[in-house]
Amino acid sequence: MNLRQLEYFLVLSEELNYHQAAERLFIAQPTLSVQMSNLQREIGQPLFLKVGRHIMLTNAGLILQSHARKILRQVRATKQALQPRSEPASIKIGLSGTHLLTPLLKTFQKINPQTSFTLRENTSASTLKQLLNAEINFGIAFLPIHNPAINYRYLFTDEIIAVTTKTGPYHTLENITLTQLTKVPLIVLDPQFAIRQTLDQLFLNQHLSPQYLVEVTSYSACISALSQLTGIALVTRSFFETQKAGHADLKVISVKEPGLKQALALVFPADIPPSPKTTILMDQIQKYYLTKEQPS
């Protein structure tokens, strides 16, 4: 068993698809198959079980997955500790919506003009996954987070709101309940997103069946779809606040339902300390949001 095999195994355990895992690893699929066969032979028991066209982890695979993550994180932390500290040329950030950070980038660029940024708009789950795989330096994701390999710092509590056009059939509504929302066509994020999962759970808890007209993969796509379709879009207040200046034709409908608020936090690896520039940026982000959230 070697580190390369563990890396290959971990990617395959996440993708559960040989073709997709091989593409992510930039290797040929037969190479991945051979390495996994060798690993399973050495361990003496199967790590994957084939179910129809899919594969799933066996109990042994689940155990190895947990240990492999810890081993590879420790290897990365050891390598970083042994190397001279250097600042990343580009700070890579995973975000549950790029609107969460764009107001701050100009300020940070003035302080660090030589630093560039890579913003990856992700679901919270994808941000955490990229963080564990060292693909990003830090992220902003929805709480709760229960992984001991990830630290977090609270930023603010966001809220799911309903948005419609001022000229559409729902423009007279000022308030709406979950029950009323089931009577209108809804434009929502797809089920990968934390706020969609929150919505689905709230509807389920009340035994309600919403009419999802369109499912999209970004907040911006929600607003774009709303401009072409008759319905109500469900987005976060933080996103709408950054967009409303350019969308005077839209209005907010308050959703009268507890449970529609969800906390966001900075997330970063627990075992690898961030660089000084990354720490400064995280400090600025947290200060910005904590200051905004304080009552005036």
Side-chain angles (χ1 to χ4, degrees):
M1 185 185 307
N2 57 50
L3 293 176
R4 177 173 295 178
Q5 286 177 324
L6 288 180
E7 181 184 0
Y8 288 2
F9 163 77
L10 196 54
V11 171
L12 182 57
S13 75
E14 293 171 350
E15 297 294 340
L16 294 176
N17 181 290
Y18 275 89
H19 176 71
Q20 293 174 8
E23 283 192 340
R24 184 171 151 191
L25 289 163
F26 300 103
I27 61 173
Q29 188 171 325
T31 301
L32 177 60
S33 298
V34 168
Q35 290 293 336
M36 291 303 95
S37 295
N38 292 341
L39 181 60
Q40 291 178 107
R41 189 181 304 114
E42 182 178 350
I43 290 173
Q45 53 186 314
L47 300 171
F48 298 95
L49 180 66
K50 189 171 182 181
V51 182
R53 297 182 179 181
H54 306 283
I55 60 172
M56 61 183 293
L57 288 167
T58 62
N59 287 335
L62 289 168
I63 292 170
L64 182 60
Q65 183 187 54
S66 175
H67 285 278
R69 282 175 174 158
K70 294 175 184 176
I71 291 167
L72 293 175
R73 282 200 304 269
Q74 190 59 48
V75 169
R76 287 197 296 267
T78 302
K79 287 180 178 178
Q80 184 154 339
L82 292 172
Q83 291 175 352
R85 292 300 300 273
S86 59
E87 294 290 349
S90 175
I91 296 178
K92 299 179 178 65
I93 308 163
L95 299 153
S96 295
T98 54
H99 65 279
L100 294 167
L101 195 52
T102 45
L104 289 133
L105 289 181
K106 184 177 289 186
T107 299
F108 191 71
Q109 186 183 35
K110 289 179 181 178
I111 301 171
N112 300 278
Q114 303 305 316
T115 303
S116 61
F117 304 93
T118 301
L119 304 184
R120 297 182 179 180
E121 187 163 14
N122 298 322
T123 64
S124 288
S126 294
T127 291
L128 300 183
K129 181 177 174 181
Q130 290 174 4
L131 203 61
L132 292 171
N133 292 332
E135 297 172 19
I136 57 176
N137 299 101
F138 72 95
I140 298 178
F142 284 99
L143 295 176
I145 293 168
H146 302 297
N147 193 321
I150 295 175
N151 283 343
Y152 65 87
R153 292 160 57 177
Y154 172 80
L155 291 179
F156 72 104
T157 298
D158 213 342
E159 177 187 8
I160 301 172
I161 60 172
V163 179
T164 193
T165 59
K166 292 181 179 178
T167 55
Y170 310 110
H171 74 280
T172 58
L173 294 174
E174 298 298 331
N175 303 291
I176 196 166
T177 65
L178 275 190
T179 301
Q180 291 169 330
L181 277 174
T182 64
K183 311 297 183 185
V184 300
L186 300 177
I187 300 165
V188 294
L189 293 170
D190 77 25
Q192 303 176 73
F193 288 82
I195 73 161
R196 168 63 186 279
Q197 293 163 15
T198 298
L199 282 168
D200 286 348
Q201 191 60 53
L202 287 171
F203 282 124
L204 182 64
N205 291 345
Q206 297 191 26
H207 307 288
L208 298 172
S209 299
Q211 303 176 42
Y212 291 150
L213 174 65
V214 178
E215 297 176 333
V216 296
T217 57
S218 72
Y219 292 103
S220 297
C222 280
I223 300 303
S224 296
L226 186 60
S227 67
Q228 302 296 322
L229 301 168
T230 299
I232 290 177
L234 296 172
V235 297
T236 59
R237 185 172 293 280
S238 65
F239 169 75
F240 186 74
E241 288 299 315
T242 65
Q243 302 294 308
K244 64 182 182 180
H247 292 280
D249 58 323
L250 300 181
K251 67 165 288 184
V252 173
I253 303 171
S254 177
V255 184
K256 295 298 184 181
E257 182 65 36
L260 286 176
K261 293 186 176 181
Q262 200 163 0
L264 282 127
L266 289 165
V267 291
F268 51 97
D271 53 359
I272 302 176
S275 71
K277 280 187 180 179
T278 302
T279 300
I280 291 171
L281 178 55
M282 289 196 298
D283 288 345
Q284 288 181 333
I285 294 169
Q286 187 175 40
K287 180 180 178 181
Y288 173 80
Y289 279 112
L290 292 182
T291 301
K292 280 188 66 174
E293 200 166 41
Q294 289 175 357
S296 53

